[in-house]
Amino acid sequence: MLITRECDYAVRVLRAMAEEKRVSVNEICEKELITAPFAYKILKKLQKSGMVRGYRGVHGGYSLNCDLDQITLYDVYTTIDPGMFIIDCLEPGYDCARNSADGQTCSVHCELAEIQEELCRMLKRKSLKKTYKWLTFLYVNRYRKCVIPIGQSQ
C-alpha cells in the first residue's frame, strides 16, 4: 500500500476545505502548496466519489459533501487509488510464480497479507476530523516549544 503523493494531496485538499463553506481551487492550492492541475485531478476523483461538490460559474468552487467525522484516511486513499496494495502479489487474480504447484502459498505472501490487513485497519481507525485536530495539536505544541520569548534564554 504505497501512499502516493496524490493520496497525500487528497487529504490536504480535504483539510483545506474543512473549515470553509465553499473554496476555490486557487485557495486550496495556496493553503496546501499544491499545483492547480494536480488539485483539479484530485478534486475530480473526490467529486466522483461524492466527498466533495463542485460549483460552476463566477462564484464557483468546491465544498465538502461529506461529514469528516465519518471519513477516514482509508476512505480517501482508496478513492484516489482503489488498488492500494503494499505489493503486487496481494492484488486479486495475481498469479505468483512463488506459489508451488502443490497448492502451497508463498510464506512471504502470507506475512505481507497480514501487514496489509493491519495497515488497512490502522487507516480506518480514526476519522479525518480527529486526524486533523491531532495534527493541529502536534503542530501548535511543536511550534510553542520552539519559540523563545524575547529577553529570555533557554
Side-chain angles (χ1 to χ4, degrees):
M1 180 177 282
L2 180 63
I3 298 171
T4 63
R5 178 174 288 158
E6 188 177 7
C7 289
D8 174 46
Y9 283 8
V11 172
R12 292 166 55 186
V13 164
L14 292 171
R15 179 176 61 191
M17 300 171 72
E19 303 297 324
E20 306 290 336
K21 288 188 179 189
R22 191 178 299 184
V23 63
S24 72
V25 172
N26 287 337
E27 290 170 317
I28 293 170
C29 293
E30 285 176 20
K31 282 183 180 181
E32 298 297 338
L33 304 174
I34 300 171
T35 64
F38 214 178
Y40 278 114
K41 180 180 176 185
I42 290 165
L43 283 161
K44 185 176 180 180
K45 290 181 180 183
L46 293 174
Q47 188 174 4
K48 185 176 179 184
S49 76
M51 287 185 192
V52 302
R53 182 173 177 200
Y55 299 90
R56 293 178 181 233
V58 177
H59 300 291
Y62 292 87
S63 67
L64 286 175
N65 196 37
C66 63
D67 182 356
L68 293 181
D69 236 353
Q70 304 298 315
I71 303 293
T72 65
L73 288 171
Y74 179 84
D75 297 324
V76 178
Y77 292 165
T78 55
T79 292
I80 299 302
D81 187 4
M84 288 183 60
F85 296 99
I86 59 173
I87 191 164
D88 292 338
C89 71
L90 295 176
E91 291 185 41
Y94 184 85
D95 187 24
C96 181
R98 298 288 180 218
N99 290 334
S100 65
D102 64 358
Q104 292 291 320
T105 304
C106 172
S107 60
V108 174
H109 174 92
C110 293
E111 184 65 23
L112 292 174
E114 200 173 304
I115 292 167
Q116 174 86 33
E117 221 173 86
E118 181 65 17
L119 182 56
C120 289
R121 188 190 63 73
M122 291 177 75
L123 291 171
K124 291 176 183 178
R125 73 181 176 188
K126 209 184 272 186
S127 72
L128 281 186
K129 189 172 185 177
K130 288 179 184 174
T131 300
Y132 293 151
K133 284 183 180 180
W134 178 247
L135 291 174
T136 302
F137 173 78
L138 288 176
Y139 175 78
V140 167
N141 284 326
R142 182 180 299 147
Y143 180 72
R144 284 185 186 151
K145 290 177 186 175
C146 295
V147 175
I148 302 169
I150 298 173
Q152 294 184 10
S153 60
Q154 270 186 307

